[in-house]
């Protein structure tokens, strides 16, 4: 092969730079919130903020659509993140022929802001609308990172939603890290920062964020993707936005104190624990696993808070195998669950 015939180098998600982007981007409305949707695989009917006409067990059907077959992954991101965090995974899922959708949650990315008042009920209504839409075309499996993990667990507690399984990655609210506990206590330094009479210059806020973000989200800060870091730091363009995010985070931590009814979870649950997570401790995931007796536990000591950024290949394979098993309550599902369990011991 000559130099002129060599293919362009592949991007992190595995797609060559000359290939057409397999991810479709659109804007839809769920529970009254307009948001951006990233999707691969067969497309669900456009959301009209109405539930499908009929819900049969764990699978929703709509008149005029073929019988649902393949499982569909719904990917939920964490606090101060967006659906873009799942882009590398979505590209790999597209190549494997696995249908999946990631959305910007209310208040983040290109979604409309959250309304005043409690945050989790608003996010619950939003997630339920996404799940019902996607269930029209297949069995729904939820996968959530951080706040998205919390939302996935809360959705699984709602038996009226057509969910076949949940993957919870670094969900907070059990045994949290020093940083989350610090936000909850709202100590004097944070109060002083929010009360400063003269705003800190935006360029200084962004400079600090560029140093902090890779250390919080990645297992290895030096391996952080520059585009992903820029995406996160764009959430903190100035002093005012930073104080707003801080107040919002404090409210969310307070709501997490009574966020779960884990005894209501009956669907297959895989708890993913990340050993290098600096935001949610490994003990938190182990506690979640202990509180849901039928759950499976996977421990990866080499992953940080956002393993979809650290290792999109492994995450995409994990989600593919889990969704295949969760959507088939049979011997195949038992075998897949057993394989996951073996990987856990090895990790």
């Amino acid at each position: 092969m000559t130099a002129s015939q060599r293919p362009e180098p592949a991007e992190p998600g595995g797609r060559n730079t000359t290939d057409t982007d397999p991810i479709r981007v659109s804007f839809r409305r769920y529970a009254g919130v307009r948001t951006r949707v990233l999707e691969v695989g067969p497309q669900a009917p456009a959301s009209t903020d109405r539930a499908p006409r009929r819900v049969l067990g764990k699978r929703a059907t709509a008149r005029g659509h073929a019988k649902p077959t393949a499982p569909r992954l719904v990917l939920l991101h964490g606090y101060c993140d967006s659906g873009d965090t799942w882009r590398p995974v979505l590209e790999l899922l597209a190549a494997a022929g696995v249908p999946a959708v990631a959305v910007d949650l209310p208040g983040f990315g290109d979604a409309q802001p959250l309304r005043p008042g409690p945050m989790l009920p608003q996010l619950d209504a939003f997630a339920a609308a996404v799940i019902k839409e996607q269930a029209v075309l297949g069995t729904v499996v939820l996968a959530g990172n951080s706040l998205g993990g919390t939302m996935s667990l809360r959705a699984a507690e709602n038996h009226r939603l057509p969910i076949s399984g949940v993957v919870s990655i670094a969900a907070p609210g059990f045994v949290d890290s020093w940083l989350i506990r610090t936000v909850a206590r709202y100590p004097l330094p944070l109060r002083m920062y929010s009360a400063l009479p003269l705003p800190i210059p935006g360029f200084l806020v962004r400079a600090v964020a560029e140093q902090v973000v890779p250390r919080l989200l990645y297992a290895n800060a030096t391996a952080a993707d520059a585009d992903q870091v820029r995406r996160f730091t764009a959430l903190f363009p100035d002093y005012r936005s930073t104080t707003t995010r801080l107040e919002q985070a404090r409210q969310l931590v307070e709501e997490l104190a009574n966020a779960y009814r884990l005894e209501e979870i009956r669907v297959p649950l895989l708890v993913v624990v990340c050993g290098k997570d600096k935001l949610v401790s490994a003990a938190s995931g182990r506690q979640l696993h202990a509180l849901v007796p039928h759950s499976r536990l996977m421990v990866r000591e080499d992953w940080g808070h956002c393993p979809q950024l650290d290792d999109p290949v492994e995450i995409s394979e994990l989600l593919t195998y889990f969704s295949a098993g969760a959507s088939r309550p049979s011997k195949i599902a038992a075998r897949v669950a057993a394989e996951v369990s073996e990987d856990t011991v090895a990790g």
Side-chain angles (χ1 to χ4, degrees):
M1 180 181 291
T2 64
S4 61
Q5 294 174 317
R6 290 172 186 163
E8 295 291 330
E11 293 181 348
R15 176 171 56 89
N16 289 330
T17 55
T18 55
D19 293 345
T20 302
D21 190 346
I23 301 174
R24 300 187 302 275
V25 181
S26 61
F27 282 83
R28 302 182 199 168
R29 190 174 294 274
Y30 302 102
V33 178
R34 186 175 185 270
T35 191
R36 186 178 56 130
V37 180
L38 310 178
E39 189 171 18
V40 297
Q43 191 169 5
S47 172
T48 59
D49 257 357
R50 295 180 182 176
R53 297 186 183 185
R54 300 174 63 201
V55 176
L56 305 176
K58 294 184 179 179
R59 179 174 295 175
T61 59
R63 186 178 302 171
H65 294 281
K67 181 180 179 180
T69 53
R72 300 180 66 80
L73 282 162
V74 173
L75 309 177
L76 303 177
H77 64 76
Y79 181 77
C80 274
D81 204 344
S82 74
D84 287 317
T85 194
W86 294 105
R87 271 188 174 274
V89 172
L90 283 170
E91 291 186 358
L92 291 163
L93 293 174
V98 178
V101 60
V103 294
D104 290 346
L105 301 180
F108 307 107
D110 290 326
Q112 290 179 320
L114 288 159
R115 299 181 299 276
M119 298 167 60
L120 289 179
Q122 297 181 58
L123 295 171
D124 289 341
F126 178 90
V130 176
I131 292 164
K132 290 175 182 178
E133 178 203 65
Q134 292 298 306
V136 171
L137 288 184
T139 304
V140 170
V141 173
L142 286 180
N145 172 233
S146 193
L147 173 59
T150 294
M151 293 174 58
S152 298
L153 292 171
R154 286 170 62 89
E157 295 167 359
N158 184 352
H159 301 160
R160 293 173 296 178
L161 293 179
I163 300 171
S164 293
V166 168
V167 179
S168 176
I169 305 171
F174 300 98
V175 182
D176 291 324
S177 69
W178 65 268
L179 183 58
I180 291 180
R181 292 195 300 269
T182 298
V183 171
R185 289 195 301 266
Y186 200 43
L188 181 60
L190 295 182
R191 294 199 300 270
M192 290 177 63
Y193 174 83
S194 298
L196 286 174
L198 295 177
I200 297 175
F203 76 88
L204 183 57
V205 173
R206 292 190 296 274
V208 172
E210 287 174 359
Q211 296 300 315
V212 172
V213 165
R215 289 172 170 78
L216 292 181
L217 303 185
Y218 284 82
N220 179 5
T222 61
D225 180 84
D227 289 337
Q228 292 285 0
V229 172
R230 281 193 293 269
R231 180 174 63 79
F232 277 103
T233 55
L235 294 168
F236 308 96
D238 50 37
Y239 166 81
R240 177 175 295 181
S241 64
T242 304
T243 56
T244 299
R245 292 295 185 189
L246 179 61
E247 290 289 346
Q248 194 178 48
R250 189 163 64 94
Q251 177 185 338
L252 181 59
V253 171
E254 290 177 355
E255 292 186 34
L256 285 173
N258 298 294
Y260 302 110
R261 294 178 293 108
L262 299 177
E263 69 279 0
E264 297 294 331
I265 297 179
R266 301 171 187 171
V267 299
L269 169 63
L270 174 61
V271 179
V272 178
V273 171
C274 306
K276 293 188 176 181
D277 191 338
K278 301 176 185 67
L279 288 175
V280 177
S281 69
S284 184
R286 296 183 187 278
Q287 178 72 358
L288 170 59
H289 171 56
L291 292 172
V292 184
H294 73 271
S295 66
R296 299 281 177 171
L297 177 68
M298 179 175 182
V299 180
R300 283 294 298 261
E301 297 294 346
D302 56 334
W303 285 352
H305 186 64
C306 295
Q308 68 273 15
L309 301 178
D310 282 323
D311 199 343
V313 173
E314 288 288 341
I315 287 293
S316 64
E317 291 180 354
L318 173 67
L319 296 180
T320 298
Y321 289 132
F322 178 83
S323 62
S327 63
R328 300 175 194 167
S330 63
K331 293 181 180 179
I332 296 178
R335 188 180 71 235
V336 172
E339 291 173 356
V340 171
S341 181
E342 291 172 3
D343 289 342
T344 299
V345 175

